[in-house]
Amino acid sequence: GDSILLKTPGGQTWLIDGGYRRGNFDQGLFAVRPYLLQHGITTLDGVVFTHHERDHAGGLMCILREFNVKRFVGQAPLAPVPFLDELIRQARLRGIPVLANAPPALAKYLQVKANDLAFTLCLHSNGLSVLLPSDIGWGTEGALLDWGNALEAQILKVGHHGSRYSSQSSFLRQVKPEMAVISSGSFRIHAHPH
């Protein structure tokens, strides 16, 4: 699963994804929630779901239910996804504004995978730059090369948990990271990183 907490110099807190959830296994409930509470965080200026897969958005239900969330932002899927619909319904029940970016119009005709539509976030603050490409693969990485120098980042969260289908050499040359972080754990269904 994937979940990243951002704290800005201005005091804002943003949660990017909420980890994995399936059945009784809920990283949002058993890992993300306790971490936030342990650090005295009860309000989140924003919660972002980079895309609708369960290893990113699955753990967000308890966050939306129990925390003061000011906005819920993410990438809408190409087709309805029941558990994402539940998350959006929960946000609206709590009065949380929902901002879901529509996928590109041609995506449904190009057989694009959910991972390739995931949000890629470039963060810059006080001379530090961080690139968070979520689960994008080679195709989207190639399209991002058009960003030129804007893609450069000191810290790179390696895409798709270190999958062999992300972090191609041309992408890494463009980003020029000084440090790379891989989000992976001991219960790796797909054996990432590889």
Side-chain angles (χ1 to χ4, degrees), residues 5-71:
L5 176 66
L6 300 174
K7 293 174 88 173
T8 70
Q12 288 196 8
T13 54
W14 285 73
L15 184 66
I16 314 298
D17 292 326
Y20 185 80
R21 179 186 65 148
R22 183 173 293 266
N24 291 329
F25 183 78
D26 186 339
Q27 287 178 325
L29 180 62
F30 298 117
V32 178
R33 177 184 174 274
Y35 180 87
L36 294 173
L37 293 175
Q38 180 181 5
H39 289 85
I41 298 169
T42 57
T43 296
L44 293 162
D45 293 282
V47 170
V48 176
F49 61 98
T50 58
H51 63 300
H52 68 272
E53 291 192 337
R54 288 185 179 272
D55 64 327
H56 288 256
L60 291 175
M61 183 59 82
C62 76
I63 305 302
L64 293 172
R65 282 184 181 146
E66 298 181 29
F67 288 79
N68 177 24
V69 175
K70 294 185 179 176
R71 62 189 65 87

Side-chain angles (χ1 to χ4, degrees), residues 47-151:
V47 170
V48 176
F49 61 98
T50 58
H51 63 300
H52 68 272
E53 291 192 337
R54 288 185 179 272
D55 64 327
H56 288 256
L60 291 175
M61 183 59 82
C62 76
I63 305 302
L64 293 172
R65 282 184 181 146
E66 298 181 29
F67 288 79
N68 177 24
V69 175
K70 294 185 179 176
R71 62 189 65 87
F72 188 45
V73 181
Q75 177 63 56
L78 289 171
V81 175
F83 93 88
L84 183 58
D85 292 342
E86 290 174 31
L87 291 174
I88 291 170
R89 192 169 23 261
Q90 178 64 37
R92 289 187 172 138
L93 281 172
R94 301 261 338 264
I96 301 167
V98 176
L99 307 163
N101 187 50
L106 291 177
K108 63 182 173 184
Y109 302 108
L110 299 175
Q111 298 180 350
V112 174
K113 296 178 183 173
N115 288 342
D116 289 321
L117 294 174
F119 272 1
T120 294
L121 304 171
C122 246
L123 310 169
H124 300 272
S125 179
N126 294 334
L128 178 68
S129 55
V130 180
L131 183 65
L132 306 172
S134 188
D135 277 358
I136 65 169
W138 293 341
T140 304
E141 286 179 352
L144 291 177
L145 293 177
D146 291 340
W147 287 13
N149 292 343
L151 202 56

